[in-house]
Amino acid sequence: MLGVVFTEFMEMVEDEFSFDVADEIMDISGVGVETGFTAVQEYSHTDMVKLVAALHKVTGMEIDALITAFGQHLFQRFTVTHSQFFSGATCSLDFLENIEGYIHVEVKKLYPNAELPTFRCIRHAPDKLEMNYKSKRPFGDLAHGLIRGCGAHFKDDLEIERTDQNGPHEVQFMIRRERPV
Ligand code: HEM
């Protein structure tokens, strides 16, 4: 997993909790203790799972809620760090539908070692998108949070119905956009 995901995660922990909590979860998990994290390095995705488990221990918050919150935070950060992907984008569902065929394709060019999931999308209607997440990594909650973050960014009111099909490795998201009246 790319170091940038870890640096963003630790920044979220420092901002939302504290520097002490950030240190504590590195101590408890044994991850990043010696050297911290750098954006250019790569780490095992299991290290992220260990950090989240440690954050759960320290804060008492549920693991799925913590990962989803991180997904929301990460999307907001992407709007700043990868602003090139947002020029001309106006609709959350169009944006989400383009993750597989455009955004993650470009991400792979920028970071050839990126390990990305697949999304099979079906646009049932202008305001209804089905996204089928599949990955070797267990980050259905992260996808959930990224989808929420996307709705928030475009100020779209999204209703997200989620069905886990193979634990957090394969998740179906049925997303409806509520039209503002
Ligand atoms: C501008 C928008 C986006 C950018 C720049 C982006 C970029 C990235 C990057 C750099 C990674 C890390 C790869 C690695 O660590 O090896 C990643 C992973 C991931 N992305 Fe995106 N992404 C974007 C939007 C989204 C959205 C909206 C979703 C959800 C619908 C999504 C779902 C995921 C998931 C779930 C992963 C974790 C890897 C996995 O599950 O296998 N991404 N993305």
Side-chain angles (χ1 to χ4, degrees):
M1 195 163 217
L2 299 178
V4 63
V5 179
F6 284 76
T7 53
E8 292 294 351
F9 179 78
M10 294 310 291
E11 269 172 39
M12 181 193 77
V13 174
E14 287 166 6
D15 290 351
E16 300 292 324
F17 300 98
S18 67
F19 283 100
D20 285 348
V21 170
D23 280 344
E24 213 178 330
I25 66 169
M26 288 199 279
D27 279 345
I28 292 176
S29 64
V31 176
V33 186
E34 300 282 309
T35 51
F37 301 101
T38 57
V40 290
Q41 215 160 324
E42 283 164 40
Y43 307 90
S44 163
H45 80 270
T46 56
D47 284 349
M48 177 54 72
V49 174
K50 285 181 197 165
L51 283 171
V52 175
L55 188 58
H56 158 72
K57 242 186 192 166
V58 174
T59 64
M61 287 175 67
E62 294 301 327
I63 288 183
D64 54 355
L66 287 169
I67 302 180
T68 310
F70 175 50
Q72 261 176 279
H73 168 89
L74 193 59
F75 189 89
Q76 193 272 327
R77 290 291 299 146
F78 283 153
T79 65
V80 179
T81 58
H82 294 76
S83 56
Q84 71 270 29
F85 296 136
F86 291 85
S87 60
T90 54
C91 159
S92 59
L93 295 189
D94 291 350
F95 191 87
L96 290 169
E97 202 176 0
N98 278 326
I99 296 296
E100 178 71 13
Y102 168 54
I103 308 277
H104 275 175
V105 175
E106 294 302 315
V107 165
K108 192 77 186 168
K109 289 183 201 164
L110 286 174
Y111 315 102
N113 294 332
E115 299 174 316
L116 297 163
T118 60
F119 286 99
R120 193 171 50 79
C121 291
I122 304 166
R123 190 69 171 258
H124 293 282
D127 288 327
K128 186 176 174 190
L129 173 69
E130 175 182 339
M131 284 186 98
N132 293 282
Y133 164 85
K134 193 171 179 184
S135 177
K136 285 187 195 142
R137 294 157 291 280
F139 290 131
D141 289 319
L142 190 67
H144 198 158
L146 283 156
I147 294 168
R148 276 202 199 150
C150 184
H153 172 73
F154 288 102
K155 298 191 169 52
D156 281 338
D157 187 5
L158 300 184
E159 188 197 294
I160 306 164
E161 198 184 305
R162 167 185 175 160
T163 315
D164 289 23
Q165 288 162 337
N166 175 18
H169 291 269
E170 266 186 70
V171 180
Q172 182 200 63
F173 297 99
M174 197 62 85
I175 310 162
R176 283 185 196 79
R177 184 175 48 172
E178 305 293 334
R179 285 261 176 217
V181 277

